Structure formats: C-alpha cells, structure tokens
Amino acid sequence: MQTEEDILRPSIPPLMWAAVGIWAGIAIAEARTWAARLAGAAWTGALAVAGLFLVLAVISGLRNKHKTVLLLVLAGLAAGVLVGEVYWARWNADVQALSSPASVNWAAEALNDPRENEFGVRSEVIARCSSGKPYRMTCNWERGVAPPDLGEACTFSAKVGQPTSAEAKRRAHRSGITGVASPRMLSVSGHPKSIKGAIGAFRQASATRISSVKGEGGGLLAGVLLGDRRRFFGTEADAAFKTTGLSHLVAVSGGHLVVVAALVTWALNHMGARRGLVSGLMIASTGAYVVLSGVQASAVRAWLMAAVVAGIGLAGRRGDGLGALAAAMSVALVSWPPTAFDLGFQLSVLSVAGLLLYARLAEAWVVCAAGEKARRLASPVALTLVAQAATLPLTVAAFAMVSLVSPLANLVVSPLVSLLLGVGLAGIMIAPFWAALGEFLLTASGVIGTFTVDVVRWLAHLPYAAVPLGWTALPAGLTLAACGATLWMVWPQPDKKAARRLAAIGLVGLLVFATGAVPRPSGAEITVLDVGQGDAILVRDRRRTALIDAGSSGSDLRKALARHSVHRVDVLVGTHLHADHIDGITGLEGVVPVGTAFFSAGALGGGYEVFDVLDRMGADTCEVIAGDEIRLGSFALRVLWPKRPVESGSKNESSVVILASREGFSALLTGDAEQEVLEELVRDGSVGDIDVLKVGHHGSESAVSTASLLALLPEVALVSVGAENRYGHPVASTLEQLDAAGACVYRTDLFGDVSLRITDSGYSVRTQKHAASRAGYATLVAQLESAYLSRGPYEHTQKNWPRERVVPGVSHNERAEAACGPGAAKASGTLLRTWAGRSGYPGVLCRKSDCRRGPCCAEYYPACLRAPPGDTPRCRKACRGRFGATRAVCGRPIPIRSACRCRQQAPQDHKTV
C-alpha cells in the first residue's frame, strides 16, 4: 500500500509504443534501401516487410495488455517501414534523375545558414530545375561569393554529383540529400513575398542588429536567439559549452520555446485576452519563432508537443506529456522520415522522455541524499542528471566525452541563458519601433552573454570537467534502454540510507573514472590511431604517453584516446601545421591535459589556433630540431628532421621525423615527410635498417622510393589513411614498392587502430578490426616464416626478430648499394661479398672505409643478417664498434636481434628534452 511520500510510476500511453515502432521501422527501411539502392526492389521490400509486421500484429491482437503493446509496436513498425521504403524509393529515383553530367539552371531556396569549412562555404538548398520538381542538395559555394542566407531565394547554374566517400554517401542517404553541387553564376533575389519570407526578412534584419553586439556575447546571442551559430561555431566559447555539457542551451529547443511562450502568455494575460485566444496566439508565436530560429528538428518537436497539449486543453481534457511527445514524434517522422536520424531530434526526444518518466523519482532520491535543506536545488540537479543520463549514448557517440561538471553547469548557466533569451527577444521586437531602446536591450543581452561565456569558460577549466569516453551509440543505447526498463519496472521508492550510500559510491566511482585510475597497458607500445584522413600516433611505456600528431577532428581523436584509456598526454608532437595533423588538438581542451608540446624549429611564429589552445591548457610549447631527444620511459624519441629551422611549418618537407627506439627495436615516424627527406636521412647516415616505418603523407605517390626502402628495409609499414578518401591514398605504386621491399602493410582504413607491443624478444601487431580482404595487400615474403594469425576479431602477428628477407628481383650488390652508399658494389677485390655460401645466411659485408652509414659502422658491418626463428646465429667475425666493446663474440650464442649488428652510437652534443 502506498504512502503519501510514495512517487507514483507514470503510465506509458499506447501511442508511445506505436511511435517507437514507427521510428524503428523507418530505421529498418533506411538500412534495407541503403543496401539495395534500387527503386524497383524497394517497393517489393516495402510490401514484404510491412506485410510481415501487419500479420504478426493481427496474430498478437488479443485482449491482453502485453499483447496489445506488441500489436501497437508491430503496427508502428509496419507503418514506419512502409513510409520509409516509399520515401527512399523516391530518393533513389531523384538521385538517378540527377545523374546527368550536363550543367543545369536551378532556382533554389536556402535551408540553413552557410557555414565555412576547410574546403570552402557550404549550405543546403531546395532546388528546382525547369521541370519544377524539388531536390534537396548540398551546395559548395566558391570563396569570395556571398551565398544566400537561410530562407533567401537564388538562381545558379551547376552540375550535380554525388558524395565521394562511403561515409558521406550514407550521411546523404540518411539526411535526404540527393546531390552535391558547385554553383556558378549565382544571383540572390532575397526573401520571397510570403509569411515565411517576412519572418526570414525579419530574421535577417535582426541578425544585422545583433552583429553590432561585438565579442563572444554577440556570437552567443545570435546562436541562442536566432539559431545563427556562424559566429559561435568553432570558437573557444563553443568548446567550453561542449566540455560543460551545455551545447543544448545554444541549440533552439523546448527550453527556448518555453521562454517565448511565457513572455507571450504574460503579455496577453495582462491585456485581458481570453483563454482560447491566449492558447492560439501562443502556438502561433512559438511557431513563428521556430521559423525565425531556422526550423531546427528539436524546436519542431517542442512546437508540435505544445500544439498537442494546447489542443487537448482547449478540448477540456487533461494533458498527457508522454502522449503529446508520442504524437509529436509520429507527425515529425511520418512527414519527414530523415528526422529519425537528426541528432538534435534524437537528443530532444530522449531528454524529454527521460524527464517525463523519471524526473519526480530522481528529485525524491536527490532530496533524500542531500537533505531537506537542499530541496530547492534538488529539482534542477535531478532534471540535469536525468536528461544527461537519457542522452548519454548519443552525446558520447557524437562528442566522445562525458561532462562531469554538467549538473553544476546547468544549475548555474541555464538561468543566465533564459535571461539572455528574454532580454534579446524583447530587444529585436522593440527595435523596429523604438531603435534606441531596442539597441540598449541588445547591448544589455550582449553583456549577459559575455558574462555567461566567462562563467562557462571557468567551469570548463575545472579539473576533470570532462573525460574522454569511447562508447558507440548502439550498444550504449541498448544498455541504457535495459537499465531504464528495469528501473521503470522495479520503481524503487526513495530511501534516505540507500540514497546516501548510492551517492557515496557514485562519487568514489566518479573520482576513479575521472582520474583515469583504471588498468592500462604496462609495456612498451606504439599505436597508429584510426582518425580518418589524418595522423595520430600514440607512443606509451607504462603510464607515460606521447601523442605524435592529433588528426583533423577533435571528436575522432577523443574517441581514439578513449579506446586506449588515455586520460593524459605527457608529450605532444605536432609534426607540421597541416589541419589533418594538428586540428584535433583543439578537441583535447578541457578533456585531456597536455604536459609539453613540441613543434619543428621555426614553426611557432604562425598565428595558428592550436597554439592559443595549448596556452589555455597550460601546456609548455617548445621547438625541436635534428639531434634533440625526448625520453619516454624506455623509449628514446630522437628527432632526425628538420636539420635547420623551417621557414614554414605548413609544408610536408617541414615535418618532424622521429626515430622511436628501445633495445632491439626501432620505428621511423615520418609525419608527411616523403621520399626526398628519407633519401637524405639515409645518405647522411641518420637512419638505417629499421623494423617499422610509418609511411609518410598517407601513402602518397611520392611517399617512398626504392632506394630508401632498400636501406630502411622495414618489416612492417603503417599507413594512416581515411576510408575511400578523395585523394586516393594510399596509391597503388606505393603499395607495390612496399610489397617489393618485403614490408607487411597495415592500413587504418582497413584495420582500424594498429598497435605494436614491444618486448625484449620481439614485437606483436594487433589491430582493432579484421580487414575485409587482403587482396592486393602487401604481405611478408615467403622466406619470412612469421605470418598473419587471426584471433577472433583481431589480426595478431607475432614477430620474433625474423631472419633475412629476400627481396625478389634485388641482388645483394644492390642491397649493398643502399646499405653502404653509392659505388660500394663496384669496389675491387673482396671489399664486398655475400655470406650466403659460408654461413648459410644471406647478407652483405663491407669494410669501414667503404661504409657510409655514419658513426654506427664497425670495422666489418654485416648488413641485415638474420637467423631463422628458433635458431641462434653465430658470427664469423666479431662486430667491433668504434666506441665500445664487442657486441657479438665469434662462436658464442647471442640474442637473435643483436647478432653481428653494431648498434653503438658515437657521442653527440645534443640536448635531452
């Protein structure tokens, strides 16, 4: 029997089950049509799948509560599949209709504000050709051209193509984009003469007024009030809002509509308007605000809910929040199926559903844990916790981090944003009639915005404000759904002792999670991270971590670091100042602390954003040049290039080239340095035979040369490259050269993260995923007995220090040319000879006077001598170094890797960083 303090469990209306079924059915239809990509087959699939769900629904249609739920879900699935199949059949037909290579004249209307990216300016439009049929497409505008703003009409001439990468194609399929155009002969005619056009013109005039409000406060005001985030996107303030979990306050959603509705209702009530008129004008004004702010999916969902609730109220019935949410979901999904994949819509629905279901229960538990004195704070804290938990799978999948300061940030900042919105809205409404007062209100709102940004920035710089987390949406969503269903079925009533115990356990767990006090690999490891078309390499030994390059996307970098439990970067190296190597650094701010950052000498003079980010993070910034060395546990990261200060840090040949070595192992990390740099390093003796080569410039045509590969002889080649990238990397000629050199190639586009675990006896290669095919893929030559071994979903290759790799078509004399320098093979007498007939192991022997490999040469240098796995090599002669004792004594068993190889280095005058 329930007491007065018991919290009643809310019931789930039948329409909600049908709405969930519609959403799932649309997702099924999208996945099926993406696989088919044929309009004719889509209709067949629609009838088959929808018919199956309808038959199951009829079978389950008995007078039983649980079977009624099943019937509603199946009926929703059938409707969703049918709607989705019909929509994507039309989409396929539109794509085929746009396949003509001829240029066409288009009349278009902009669907959003143009946004600048690294390739230019981009926006979406609804375009019509002479037939009048509308097509939704993406326009890449030329630099220097003023593209149309949201709602403006324009004409242009363009050929329409399709996205190039698989990821972009799937994204276009899910968003309803039928083509990509690069317009020419653009003519903007302004807003059309209609109600929507009038609202668009008012928005444009308001944006012009807000542009006079300078600074970060003005950018925040434009984003919150008009949905125009061009001044705000990509700024330090934007990063701080993401770190603190406050991005939803900038995106127009239900909270904004609540403020607008409250202002309108207050004004109408003071004017003595009737209830019906108040409701009607409130819905009309909030609808106009949805258009004013750019018709964002989350705002449309909130407006539909408000319209349903207002309609129910006018009918004299009690409103149901979950029922209104279900109705809004159904209308939005059926009218525009791609809404199912809109992140704003997904976050909005999940947060509102979580609040409607669990807000009261969470508030009661928070009051029990904090005490009655904190009751006033219990509600906002509970609301924040519930909303954050409900949207956690999506936010983590999108931003690759979880904000730990979000509850506090929402408690402090939400009232400020509401005040900013209210004052700014009053300012743009009054400005057309009373310019002075309107300008004053907008200036005041700008001051509020600046103060808000300062508060958010302070919160973002708190220790462990956010931590990286690498969940994927589907498993995380299923886990959360299972937890939510269990909680709803159990519905635990608040208990003071239990609440305080849970709070204590939660705080301890949060501290452990935030500080990264979790098991981590203790051995030496080098990992090439899969960050798309970019470079990011982890070098770790015990709890020390170096990150060499950071890719182009902060989100992708955070996901990769989370996969490997990296919560701190001790050393950061930016090889050069290209976006695909350093732009990801901005994603570390407030999430992953950085100790010291290194760039090539002469590169710090440019005004790059990453330098400001590193300064705000408190990282020391230094320059390095050839001869400098960074110690990281047992690793020595020796800088080989550049040999002199660079004039520009944004060129491939300016890349910092690092030789990462420890006892018995070496890996050459090249950034984007290509064959010219490698050949010079080989010629001057800076580097010789190595174990692992990170192929420069993502495997471009000039990444390597035969001469450099014959000298380096890498056993493993690593290529960091994005799947189906528009550059065609890695090119076939580079892969053929690596194959001819006997290198085993691992590509991040096929294998994901590639990790090398290094031990005293050898090293192993472990990859994140299994490549779909090894056809056309470089493998070890037949003489190398170590081979690929598949262990579950991973590729695992264990390499004990292998024997000599015979390179097909390359003689020992040609090998000697690469090892000992040009002309060595033409030496007279016995200065150069192979050991194949005497020792049974192929190799090259050259005297010191003819060897040009620098201070590592010994009196006799048997280059690239290897022993078979399991055998112990015996040297015919001792390898006597210039600077120390003998490394290998004739006839004495010695470790495989050190056999007859002089690895001692001459003392050099260089600093250790």
Side-chain angles (χ1 to χ4, degrees), residues 860-890:
Y860 286 94
Y861 187 87
C864 304
L865 187 65
R866 302 285 193 276
D871 193 9
T872 302
R874 297 175 182 271
C875 292
R876 193 166 188 270
K877 288 190 176 184
C879 177
R880 301 185 183 277
R882 282 201 244 170
F883 309 105
T886 298
R887 286 290 299 274
V889 180
C890 181

Side-chain angles (χ1 to χ4, degrees), residues 28-46:
I28 292 172
E30 188 277 333
R32 204 209 65 77
T33 53
W34 172 250
R37 293 296 304 274
L38 293 173
W43 286 96
T44 305

Side-chain angles (χ1 to χ4, degrees), residues 303-356:
W303 182 78
L304 288 173
M305 279 190 66
V308 171
V309 172
I312 293 174
L314 290 176
R317 301 184 61 182
R318 183 178 178 182
D320 180 7
L322 285 172
L325 175 62
M329 289 169 55
S330 302
V331 172
L333 292 170
V334 171
S335 60
W336 181 244
T339 303
F341 305 99
D342 185 272
L343 180 61
F345 179 80
Q346 294 170 348
L347 292 173
S348 177
V349 168
L350 287 179
S351 61
V352 172
L355 292 172
L356 292 173

Side-chain angles (χ1 to χ4, degrees), residues 523-749:
E525 184 178 52
I526 296 178
T527 302
V528 179
L529 302 174
D530 181 12
V531 291
Q533 185 66 10
D535 271 18
I537 302 172
L538 278 177
V539 181
R540 294 195 288 179
D541 192 10
R542 302 177 183 88
R543 295 186 66 85
R544 309 293 290 178
T545 300
L547 177 64
I548 300 174
D549 286 328
S552 61
S553 167
S555 177
D556 289 342
L557 179 63
R558 289 194 298 267
K559 291 178 184 178
L561 295 179
R563 288 196 296 268
H564 297 272
S565 301
V566 175
H567 291 259
R568 176 180 171 80
V569 172
D570 301 295
V571 172
L572 173 65
V573 179
T575 58
H576 64 300
L577 302 179
H578 278 173
D580 59 337
H581 290 253
I582 63 168
D583 276 10
I585 294 175
T586 58
L588 301 178
E589 186 176 7
V591 183
V592 179
V594 175
T596 306
F598 298 94
F599 296 89
S600 55
L604 295 181
Y608 287 85
E609 181 187 359
V610 293
F611 298 148
D612 298 330
V613 171
L614 290 169
D615 288 341
R616 293 196 299 265
M617 295 173 67
D620 297 326
T621 306
C622 304
E623 293 184 338
V624 290
I625 201 167
D628 290 342
E629 188 176 90
I630 304 169
R631 282 285 176 180
L632 189 85
S634 62
F635 276 108
L637 307 180
R638 187 180 179 193
V639 179
L640 305 181
W641 191 269
K643 294 185 177 297
R644 61 189 63 86
V646 300
E647 295 181 0
S648 172
S650 60
K651 296 182 179 180
N652 289 343
E653 58 269 25
S654 301
S655 295
V656 176
V657 178
I658 292 177
L659 183 66
S661 60
R662 68 189 303 270
E663 185 62 31
F665 174 85
S666 60
L668 188 64
L669 311 178
T670 58
D672 272 353
E674 298 179 292
Q675 59 186 13
E676 294 84 358
V677 173
L678 294 183
E679 290 173 356
E680 183 170 342
L681 291 175
V682 168
R683 282 195 302 269
D684 63 19
S686 298
V687 65
D689 186 3
I690 59 173
D691 300 297
V692 177
L693 171 67
K694 203 291 293 183
V695 180
H697 201 192
H698 320 291
S700 66
E701 187 175 4
S702 57
V704 294
S705 64
T706 301
S708 61
L709 288 176
L710 288 176
L712 297 174
L713 285 171
E715 297 161 4
V716 172
L718 306 173
V719 183
S720 182
V721 63
E724 299 187 23
N725 62 87
R726 66 193 186 101
Y727 307 100
H729 294 159
V731 300
S733 59
T734 296
L735 294 177
E736 290 170 0
Q737 286 179 300
L738 293 168
D739 188 26
C744 177
V745 180
Y746 290 91
R747 299 164 45 173
T748 57
D749 60 336

Side-chain angles (χ1 to χ4, degrees), residues 258-281:
V258 168
V259 174
V260 174
L263 290 175
V264 172
T265 303
W266 174 83
L268 292 175
N269 286 334
H270 276 71
M271 294 170 60
R274 294 182 179 180
R275 179 184 174 188
L277 181 61
V278 170
S279 298
L281 290 177

